[in-house]
Amino acid sequence: MNRVVLTLCLIGISLPAMAQAIAPFGVDPMTVSETGPAPSSTTQQPAPFAADMPVQTEIGTTLPDPIITAQAPPQTSASGAPDETALRYFAQQGDTVRLQREIERLRALYPNWQPPADPLTTDFVPDQTIVRIWDLVTAGDYAGARAAIAEKKAADPTFVPTADLTETIERGEAGTRLRIASDAGQYDEVLSIAANAPQLLTCASVDNLWRLAEAFIKTGTKQRGIDAYSYVLTNCTDAAERFATMQKAIDLLDRADLTALLALEKDEEFATLRLDLARRAVAAALEEGGPTPASDDVDLLGKSAMADKNAEDLRLLGYLELDRSRPSEARRFFEAAISADPSPESAQGLGVALVQLNDPAAAEAALAEYRDDNEDIAKVYRDAAAATLAREPRLAVSETTLGRIVETAIGTRDAGLAQELGWYAYAFNQPQTAFEWFQTALGWQADLEPAAYGLMVTANALGDAARVEEIRRTWGGRSVRIAQFGNLTSVTSPASVVPLPKPRPAHLTQAQTVRVVQQQAPRQVQQAEAPSGGGSGGGSGGGGCQTFRPPNSLSPGGALTHAWCLMDLNRPAQAVDHFGRALDSANEATRSDAAYGRALAFVRLGLPDEAAVAAAAAPISERRAIELQTAILTLKATSAYGIGEYQLALAMMDARAQYAPERNDLLTLRAWSYFHLRRFREAERIFEAVAATGYGDALSGLEASRASLRSAQSQ
């Protein structure tokens, strides 16, 4: 086959015609190696990419001396005929491009010269020195090639290397320096080398263009890097190199900068790259503070995922829809993911979507098989199980489902889930079972106030007055609602009585029951001051948290927004966990807001000690710290008063006075504390001052104080 090609070259057939002639042999005569010369002038080729940089060399560095000058005499053999060694070498190597160029060069130098009919004929004895030089060049040993040339010149002063040999060596040396500089991250040097060697920047060596583009981008000249990639996509035809060019551009450029490059696509060659870009955009949107993905990206990924049943992409899209508060759309993607890949990851996403759709029973069923696979899915399962038990109106849970939930609660020692089992049993008039579950919950988490309150409620329903009082003594200083459970002296009137709360109606949730009990408490205790922080955390006005969303299903930022929404709905018990999730954020502002919000939620729950601990979880502003400290001391004062610790109540109010002036309701509380300590004169002065402002609640205290003073004076 090489003989056919060479014969066509020798008789002067043009390269395009030659390409047609050798097509049956499957050979492209224009193919050149990375270190090969520029293509023959007989075919129109694009000019090299212009690095457009001034020639720069380091001080003390000199570029290699050229091997040949323009005035060099033509190379001849000892017999005076043209030296055909290079021509024969190219023929032996099958390098048709160099062969044609060498023929053209020799014809220009020797007009009467005719190329051999068969360059591969064995009667020609090549100069082995020249053959060795070309072997060294082909192997990339340019220093060895230069040394061999020097030896040849020393032995034969008339010897002049061909222009092709010279250009090949110079180009190879420059390419080596460029690659070394690029690998070392010396990007300014890469630009300098490219500016001095434009012959490197052609489609014959796309790797050089990639390295140049990277150097431009890394040195802050991004647009020139884009230009280099554009040159490849505009002028080069190798499909693999074009695809790799876009891959390299994607790794180094922002999404917006890729638009112009993607527009140079041919025959949808970048379809998989466009899909990967869409996938990256959707994934980035799920990161904290991530940008909203373009609708085109979402649509592209959605169509591909549904068509290919790609479970990973389906899950990614499902979580995007959850982040958009579109659980119905999320459910569609997660169900498709379950169908394509029945796995814990698919089930977890579906479970979260179903919980948000207020279908916790379906979520529990979807997650049941995988609930022990990993901690993340176990948490989602427990959230779904708890929501299943707490559904309103209360619905009976099947024995199978209830068995799974009980097994999970015991296996994981989940105090929150045990507490929900307690309320579930209580709602179905099983106070003894409820009592045992509340007791179990406290055994697993001794500071779980809702379980202690449940234990008190069920003990009261069982008629165990001694246990009720024991719980009051243990928890009264930590929980207003426990301290006020049953008969308590009110703040406004020593004679008023708070009735015992009735058993919890089946249609009330636990949080609603807490509010019912609190509504029966003395008004001053209900109004224990608390900072109003509903707007400070970006709350959504209650519109976005009507359905249950497990804290772990949200990003820290999303959990913070959800928590403030719950606070706006006066659901601090649920907000506590969401603020806790927000504390996982790496953003200091988010963590500060979460610590403040969690402390505020505990204040609203009447848990001052927990509020103080929560406030210390992250740095908060001085204003917020004072606001919370004021609220916490107020709660401690009212709690102490509620259990008859009047000296402690006064001490808490004195401490509070260092942060904020006392309002009329707290002044009245102070006066009643004096009254119970039989300090009637001090009580009278405060009641009188408060009554003078028109605050009606102080009048009864004033009358009681004066009556007590008269009685004391008459004795």
Side-chain angles (χ1 to χ4, degrees), residues 109-156:
L109 294 173
Y110 304 96
N112 297 322
W113 173 79
Q114 292 296 323
D118 184 358
L120 295 176
T121 182
T122 58
D123 61 357
F124 175 78
V125 180
D127 186 331
Q128 291 301 317
T129 305
I130 301 299
V131 172
R132 177 171 171 267
I133 292 172
W134 274 107
D135 285 341
L136 290 169
V137 170
T138 303
D141 185 359
Y142 304 113
R146 284 184 177 276
I149 291 172
E151 291 177 5
K152 176 69 173 174
K153 283 184 175 181
D156 181 6

Side-chain angles (χ1 to χ4, degrees), residues 497-658:
V497 176
V498 179
L500 285 171
K502 298 177 182 179
R504 180 171 167 226
H507 67 280
L508 292 179
T509 65
Q510 179 185 355
Q512 289 171 325
T513 302
V514 171
R515 289 197 291 274
V516 169
V517 174
Q518 289 177 336
Q519 287 167 3
Q520 299 172 7
R523 185 157 65 90
Q524 277 79 2
V525 177
Q526 290 180 44
Q527 294 176 343
E529 74 181 49
S532 77
S536 63
S540 56
C545 55
Q546 297 288 354
T547 58
F548 176 74
R549 298 190 69 179
N552 287 325
S553 72
L554 301 170
S555 66
L560 180 64
T561 300
H562 199 74
W564 283 119
C565 178
L566 290 169
M567 292 291 282
D568 288 342
L569 291 179
N570 197 25
R571 290 158 64 181
Q574 295 180 31
V576 164
D577 292 337
H578 286 77
F579 281 126
R581 168 63 176 141
L583 283 170
D584 294 336
S585 173
N587 183 278
E588 184 175 346
T590 299
R591 296 187 72 254
S592 176
D593 212 26
Y596 169 73
R598 198 163 194 250
L600 173 59
F602 279 123
V603 166
R604 292 193 185 177
L605 287 170
L607 303 173
D609 292 336
E610 288 82 350
V613 172
I620 59 177
S621 67
E622 182 178 359
R623 179 185 64 79
R624 284 183 167 182
I626 292 174
E627 190 178 3
L628 285 172
Q629 184 68 357
T630 302
I632 290 169
L633 290 170
T634 301
L635 273 178
K636 289 186 174 183
T638 56
S639 297
Y641 181 92
I643 60 176
E645 295 286 347
Y646 305 116
Q647 288 285 14
L648 179 59
L650 288 171
M652 293 297 100
M653 282 186 279
D654 288 342
R656 180 194 176 283
Q658 299 178 30

